[in-house]
Amino acid sequence: MNCSMMYKKILFCIVGFLLISFASLGKTVSSLAEEVPKGDILIIYQDNADDNTKAAVEDLVKLLTFQSFKISYGPASWGMEYLDGFSYVICYDLEQSPPGFTSRLSRYEARSAIDGKMESPHILFIGNQYFKTYLDSTNRSDQYELLNSTVGQLQYSFYGSESKHGLVREDYFIFLKNSSYQNGIVTVDHKNGYFCAKDGRLTHIPVADRSSQLVRAAMTREVSKWKWPYNGNPHIFAQYILIDKVYPYEDPEKLLQAVKLMIERKIPFVISVMPMYVNGDYPSMTHFCEVLRFAQAGGGAVIINAPIDQMNPLDKEVMLDYLARAMTIYNKQGVYPLALEVPQNWMFHKDTIEIMSHFKTIFSSDEVDSYLSKEDMDHNEVYKDGHQWVGASIPVDDTNVSYLSVYSTAVPIGLDEDIEEIQRKVEVCQSSFVPLKSLWDVEHSYWLDKQLMTYKNGDLILNEKKMDLSFTPTVYPEQYNYRRNMLQRFSRDLTTQSRRLVIAVGLTSILFVFLIFWARLKNRKNYFFHD
């Protein structure tokens, strides 16, 4: 009896242990499943990719994020485990593949749509080496033509416009013999190939080098069309004329001249202002903001540039504090920035992603925050915040006008340019096939410390109060009290006295030189010409 009870206890303990083990195993499997990245597009690159390849992939991820795609990306040995979670896969400039990758990709290509929940697979090969390997391994070596030349000439037309030309370089070029879709021309050894072609579930772009702006623009458009599930072209997005990075103490007359040009031609425009943290009521700042209010009333919108990062590591709380100070200064002057402009690499750092999450609309410039440390990511984490993105236009020519309509773009104009050059760029934008748009036609919002702004249907609400966007000229005092302390007054007086001293020394020196010259003439007359 005692033995029987003992065996029962042992059996009960074993069963309990197994139940707990299976439960723990279930939780582990569940947590691993949750870690599998899901998204619209999976980008796979070389396992031992160099920095240039990774930078090119990040650039592609950035441009696809502007189009509101959720992207996962990583090396081939990592990405092959997650193929079945995506309907769109990009193999970017692969040269070699890890063991089992080609057979895994072949099974993925042959997969059918899953219960209507996922589309059939779409594979885009960018580059030539692995595409050749894949076709050879799947018994399709007779379906392509190989040209052993390293240089080709690209011709590409955007939306029926005049073709743009540029040179492209690869180790060699491969072109499919048969395709259901082709666009662009790459001429190699006097033979015309394509820039992008599709055959069944495979799409191929033979040029992987993104150092050319023409290649960047053309590839972005083709990837967007590849991802578009319907016939025709994707939705058309607008471009914005952006008077970029205007400092408060620049010549306001040059800014006013550019603003009047836009208003007279009834062209929507955006002004990106640099942040100010002190002396927001100084006459020069008041005059600057008066021009901004005039621009606001005339259809121009204002956005604010992110504070210049000089911290290593970055402190997001300090950055948000300075941003709130700058917004307060502008708001007190009747200027209401609608969006935030940031360097392009802020998209790939968790702290800067947190800063951007305070704004609905984000302008991304081509600048890079050199103080920002690099973080390894396997997906575009910024996607979750659902921003309205405006990316910098890709400068295919010297006008910087946008040739892409697959996402909203900003055409930058600098106040250091001549007014004739500004006028030329404006005219090119007006005649472009990419439409111009006013930032006031879009909803915006942001929240900072003690600040909440929403803009919708022409009403700008700041901290539950509707703001007046009409223009009223500023009445300037005859004398302004700068509220200087003793040290500042002493410094100003010293500067004034130094200026006076320099003038006095200069006049004395001129008088001294004149007297010497006069005395020399008199002496020459007395000693050499006296009869």
Side-chain angles (χ1 to χ4, degrees), residues 281-455:
D281 58 346
Y282 272 27
S284 55
M285 183 65 177
T286 302
H287 189 193
F288 174 69
C289 290
E290 184 178 22
V291 177
L292 296 180
R293 292 201 310 275
F294 177 72
Q296 281 182 164
V302 177
I303 65 174
I304 192 167
N305 208 282
I308 296 175
D309 176 24
Q310 295 180 324
M311 295 178 284
N312 190 8
L314 180 138
D315 188 328
K316 62 183 178 183
E317 298 302 328
V318 172
M319 189 70 73
L320 285 169
D321 178 60
Y322 275 91
L323 192 55
R325 292 187 199 179
M327 295 295 274
T328 300
I329 285 177
Y330 278 110
N331 291 164
K332 286 181 177 179
Q333 292 277 10
V335 177
Y336 305 102
L338 301 177
L340 178 68
E341 184 178 15
V342 301
Q344 58 177 322
N345 58 332
W346 274 34
M347 189 183 292
F348 301 101
H349 194 282
K350 290 183 178 179
D351 286 341
T352 50
I353 289 174
E354 170 64 24
I355 295 170
M356 290 190 294
S357 69
H358 290 249
F359 289 78
K360 181 176 183 179
T361 306
I362 300 292
F363 279 64
S364 177
S365 71
D366 275 338
E367 292 187 346
V368 174
D369 184 346
S370 59
Y371 282 86
L372 201 62
S373 59
K374 188 175 178 60
E375 291 186 351
D376 291 329
M377 292 186 175
D378 57 14
H379 65 286
N380 55 341
E381 187 173 327
V382 72
Y383 171 85
K384 67 180 178 8
D385 294 322
H387 295 294
Q388 293 175 155
W389 289 99
V390 181
S393 62
I394 298 177
V396 175
D397 55 32
D398 63 338
T399 63
N400 285 341
V401 67
S402 178
Y403 284 88
L404 290 176
S405 64
V406 295
Y407 62 89
S408 297
T409 52
V411 179
I413 291 176
L415 286 183
D416 56 340
E417 301 177 33
D418 294 334
I419 193 65
E420 291 79 13
E421 178 64 16
I422 294 175
Q423 186 172 347
R424 184 179 75 92
K425 288 186 176 181
V426 169
E427 290 173 352
V428 172
C429 289
Q430 279 185 294
S431 59
S432 171
F433 49 81
V434 181
L436 290 169
K437 189 174 183 179
S438 172
L439 206 59
W440 295 108
D441 295 337
V442 186
E443 296 180 7
H444 308 280
S445 63
Y446 68 81
W447 61 277
L448 295 167
D449 183 35
K450 299 179 182 179
Q451 291 172 310
L452 174 62
M453 189 281 291
T454 58
Y455 173 77

Side-chain angles (χ1 to χ4, degrees), residues 65-80:
T65 301
F66 294 159
Q67 302 172 52
S68 299
F69 292 134
K70 185 177 181 182
I71 313 296
S72 296
Y73 56 100
S77 57
W78 168 88
M80 63 187 292

Side-chain angles (χ1 to χ4, degrees), residues 176-194:
L176 290 170
K177 293 181 179 179
N178 300 306
S179 58
S180 59
Y181 166 83
Q182 282 192 13
N183 197 16
I185 299 174
V186 175
T187 303
V188 182
D189 289 340
H190 306 289
K191 293 183 178 180
N192 288 340
Y194 53 79

Side-chain angles (χ1 to χ4, degrees), residues 111-292:
R111 189 193 74 183
S112 301
I114 301 176
D115 299 329
K117 295 180 180 180
M118 295 189 67
E119 302 177 50
S120 56
H122 301 73
I123 308 174
L124 170 59
F125 294 88
I126 299 178
N128 301 291
Q129 294 191 32
Y130 182 70
F131 186 50
K132 177 182 181 301
T133 300
Y134 184 74
L135 293 177
D136 291 342
S137 300
T138 53
N139 302 316
R140 287 179 277 190
S141 56
D142 59 338
Q143 295 184 14
Y144 65 84
E145 179 182 10
L146 187 150
L147 299 178
N148 269 313
S149 180
T150 59
V151 180
Q153 184 180 38
L154 170 62
Q155 301 178 52
Y156 195 87
S157 174
F158 296 88
Y159 308 98
S161 64
E162 181 181 352
S163 293
K164 301 294 180 180
H165 298 76
L167 294 178
V168 292
R169 295 180 181 275
E170 296 293 331
D171 292 339
Y172 55 81
F173 291 86
I174 282 180
F175 299 105
L176 290 170
K177 293 181 179 179
N178 300 306
S179 58
S180 59
Y181 166 83
Q182 282 192 13
N183 197 16
I185 299 174
V186 175
T187 303
V188 182
D189 289 340
H190 306 289
K191 293 183 178 180
N192 288 340
Y194 53 79
F195 179 77
C196 183
K198 179 181 180 182
D199 182 21
R201 294 179 172 181
L202 305 184
T203 303
H204 178 225
I205 295 177
V207 182
D209 183 4
R210 292 174 59 85
S211 60
S212 164
Q213 299 293 355
L214 177 57
V215 171
R216 287 183 69 218
M219 187 183 296
T220 302
R221 181 170 181 245
E222 292 301 330
V223 172
S224 179
K225 292 175 68 176
W226 167 73
K227 181 64 179 68
W228 183 248
Y230 311 107
N231 294 327
N233 290 315
H235 294 305
I236 294 178
F237 290 84
Q239 61 180 338
Y240 298 89
I241 294 179
L242 176 65
I243 303 176
D244 200 17
K245 293 178 176 56
V246 182
Y247 284 83
Y249 296 115
E250 284 186 285
D251 181 9
E253 296 304 321
K254 183 68 179 293
L255 174 61
L256 183 60
Q257 191 177 9
V259 167
K260 285 182 176 179
L261 172 67
M262 307 292 183
I263 294 176
E264 288 171 359
R265 299 195 176 198
K266 298 182 179 179
I267 299 173
F269 62 99
V270 181
I271 302 174
S272 172
V273 297
M274 299 303 292
M276 283 290 296
Y277 314 113
V278 293
N279 305 329
D281 58 346
Y282 272 27
S284 55
M285 183 65 177
T286 302
H287 189 193
F288 174 69
C289 290
E290 184 178 22
V291 177
L292 296 180

